[in-house]
Amino acid sequence: MVSALFDPDAWEPIDLDLDDLTYHRGTDVSAVRIAFDRPDVRNAFRPETVDELLVALNHAKRQSDVGTVLLTGNGPADDGGWAFSAGGDQSVRSDAGYGYDVEDGEQPIMPLGMNTSRVTWRFTPEEAGPHTVG
C-alpha cells in the first residue's frame, strides 16, 4: 500500500525500477511524488535508498514541465505507526558506517547523503509556474 491518504487517481506510477522508493507523476499538476517505501522500518534509509533517491531526483530534474517535487513517506507500518523517515537504518550500519552488500562488488562503506549532494536544480519561479498539489 502506498498510503491510506494517497489518491491513485491523482498520480500516475512511473517505473524507474526502484525498491526503496515509489515515484509518481501528477495527472493534473506538473509535479512528481517521490516517497520512501520502507514503512516496516519507519522509512529508514540505507545506501541503496540514497542511490535510488538520486535516480528519482535526476529523473524529475530532466522533466522540463515538472515544477514541484513532493518528497514524502509511504505507510503506515504493520503496527500502525507512521513516519516520513526515521533516518539511517541502524540494522545495516556497522562500526565502520553504512555498507553496501559487498558481494555485489559495490563500495563497502558509504556515508549516507554523499550522493544526494550531486543533484543540481536550475529553474526560475517563472518556469515552475503557479501550481498547487492537493
Side-chain angles (χ1 to χ4, degrees), residues 54-128:
L54 181 62
V55 168
L57 289 172
N58 275 321
H59 183 273
K61 181 176 87 168
R62 291 190 307 270
Q63 311 310 305
S64 62
D65 60 334
V66 169
T68 303
V69 174
L70 174 63
L71 187 59
T72 187
N74 291 334
D78 290 339
D79 66 3
W82 291 80
F84 164 70
S85 177
D89 187 344
Q90 298 302 301
S91 70
V92 299
R93 188 177 190 284
S94 70
D95 290 340
Y98 292 92
Y100 287 102
D101 184 359
V102 179
E103 67 189 22
D104 288 340
E106 301 182 56
Q107 299 176 19
I109 302 296
M110 178 194 98
L112 289 178
M114 178 178 80
N115 284 338
T116 58
S117 65
R118 296 184 188 154
V119 177
T120 304
W121 292 86
R122 290 183 291 271
F123 66 90
T124 64
E126 293 81 23
E127 291 171 332

Side-chain angles (χ1 to χ4, degrees), residues 9-60:
D9 294 330
W11 301 96
E12 174 187 351
I14 305 297
D15 184 11
L16 296 180
D17 195 29
L18 306 172
D19 294 320
D20 291 359
L21 303 174
T22 58
Y23 186 92
H24 292 83
R25 183 177 177 96
T27 56
D28 294 327
V29 294
S30 58
V32 295
R33 178 187 186 274
I34 301 170
F36 294 109
D37 194 31
R38 302 184 72 224
D40 53 320
V41 290
R42 299 288 195 272
N43 292 320
F45 51 88
R46 55 189 177 157
E48 294 85 358
T49 312
V50 175
D51 292 341
E52 289 183 10
L53 184 58
L54 181 62
V55 168
L57 289 172
N58 275 321
H59 183 273

